[in-house]
Amino acid sequence: MNFTFAPATKAQAKARLAFAGPSGSGKTYTSLVTATALGGRIAVIDTERGSAAKYADLFTFDTLAMHTYDPRDLVKALAAAGAAGYDVVIVDSLSHFWMGTGGMLEQVDQAAKRSGGGNTFAGWKEARPMERAMVDALLAYPGHVIVTMRTKTEYVVEENDRGRKVPRKIGTKPEQRDGIEYEFDIVGDLDLENTLIVSKSRCKGLAKAVIREPSGDFGGTILAWLSDGAEPGMTVSEVRRKALDPATTFEELGQLYKAEESAGRLGAAVEDEDGNPTPLGALLARLGNARKAPA
């Protein structure tokens, strides 16, 4: 590896957004409003029993309903979305791939049982790469990505304007692994009044913003920020096409691999020549080995 430093430059990028909140806080609606403002074709990976389709009269999007939540299946869905050319993918919700049927917690439990004695540490050791591959595929998707996360619901007792003590439902910690928010550029917390509180933002214009019922202006601010920078170069789809071209040499594949490694996109979920999902890095490495001249 070459440890040579170079001047930093801001390149155009794709959105990596997360909305967290309790049931009824408007996560799905806010995701669709934002996705529409970002522009292009929208795909929704729906784990919420078709709830997104209730907004089909207000927004134009395609949907994929999922009922089991193996993290490897989300990678496959992202590969399919990328191959179909969707500009925005919404995962509603990512929490199911943590605590739903077949999600990470079940994967750990099953792996622990296979190890003998129910060793949880051994379970995490086996299952963690699945989660890493899932997160890598989300972050390296060739379009914009928006995920929603459920929050655990708690009640606090407050005094209302009449001086009476009344309970109020609030959302607290997202139902996801600790630290998941670090993976996204912008994280917003929604409450039951549909107020968005931006808890993390790499976009200076949205830092610590409090927005009542976010509109398309919110997504427009994000799009302007993402579009301000140098041209990003080849897309993941273009890299895939070039890699699969028989005329692309071993040396050129090596250059593609290094460029995608620098861009942090080796984990992008793509389809190989047979239509099977695979990480972009694995595809480049396999093709490179196949085209390497005999010693």
Side-chain angles (χ1 to χ4, degrees):
M1 182 175 179
N2 184 1
F3 292 98
T4 302
F5 291 87
T9 57
K10 183 179 184 295
Q12 297 176 23
K14 301 298 182 181
R16 299 293 180 260
L17 313 177
F19 296 126
S23 176
S25 60
K27 298 185 295 297
T28 303
Y29 183 87
T30 301
S31 296
L32 287 166
V33 167
T34 305
T36 301
L38 292 174
R41 296 172 63 222
I42 302 169
V44 177
I45 298 172
D46 190 341
T47 71
E48 299 281 356
R49 302 182 183 275
S51 63
K54 294 180 174 65
Y55 299 113
D57 59 333
L58 301 175
F59 306 98
T60 301
F61 59 95
D62 295 335
T63 183
L64 170 68
M66 298 185 70
H67 307 287
T68 58
Y69 314 109
D70 188 318
R72 293 166 292 191
D73 287 341
L74 180 54
V75 174
K76 295 175 183 177
L78 290 167
Y86 286 103
D87 301 286
V88 189
V89 168
I90 299 172
V91 182
D92 185 32
S93 71
L94 188 62
S95 294
H96 283 80
F97 294 95
W98 175 254
M99 51 74 177
T101 302
M104 274 298 298
L105 295 182
E106 280 198 7
Q107 295 291 341
V108 171
D109 184 57
Q110 293 168 9
K113 291 176 181 176
R114 286 193 296 271
S115 71
N119 188 318
T120 303
F121 179 80
W124 278 109
K125 184 177 181 181
E126 180 179 328
R128 185 65 79 185
M130 298 180 198
E131 184 190 33
R132 187 68 256 169
M134 178 185 73
V135 172
D136 286 347
L138 281 168
L139 298 181
Y141 183 74
H144 304 294
V145 172
I146 302 172
V147 307
T148 69
M149 295 183 290
R150 292 180 172 186
T151 57
K152 295 178 180 178
T153 302
E154 292 184 359
Y155 287 86
V156 295
V157 177
E158 298 178 333
E159 187 174 292
N160 65 14
D161 54 3
R162 297 181 180 181
R164 299 180 61 183
K165 299 292 185 179
V166 294
R168 182 169 69 88
K169 186 168 76 169
I170 61 172
T172 55
K173 182 180 177 183
E175 292 183 332
Q176 258 295 338
R177 70 165 169 83
D178 289 341
I180 190 68
E181 64 274 11
Y182 294 114
E183 309 287 0
F184 298 93
D185 292 325
I186 298 172
V187 179
D189 300 311
L190 284 155
D191 63 20
L192 290 173
E193 283 72 45
N194 305 130
T195 298
L196 177 70
I197 301 171
V198 178
S199 56
K200 175 198 172 180
S201 178
R202 294 189 174 113
C203 172
K204 186 176 180 181
L206 291 174
K208 299 181 180 179
V210 178
I211 305 169
R212 171 70 173 165
E213 296 181 349
S215 67
D217 292 342
F218 173 72
T221 299
I222 296 171
L223 184 60
W225 170 65
L226 293 168
S227 302
D228 179 24
E231 290 289 337
M234 294 177 69
T235 67
V236 167
S237 297
E238 290 169 340
V239 171
R240 174 189 175 274
R241 283 197 295 270
K242 184 172 179 59
L244 290 175
D245 185 345
T248 302
T249 66
F250 167 75
E251 288 75 17
E252 289 173 326
L253 285 165
Q255 292 169 2
L256 287 175
Y257 188 98
K258 290 180 181 178
E260 295 307 293
E261 183 178 36
S262 297
R265 301 194 305 190
L266 291 180
V270 299
E271 293 184 349
D272 64 15
E273 59 270 43
D274 298 319
N276 299 313
T278 182
L280 177 62
L283 178 66
L284 293 171
R286 179 175 61 78
L287 294 172
N289 288 332
R291 296 177 196 175
K292 187 176 182 180

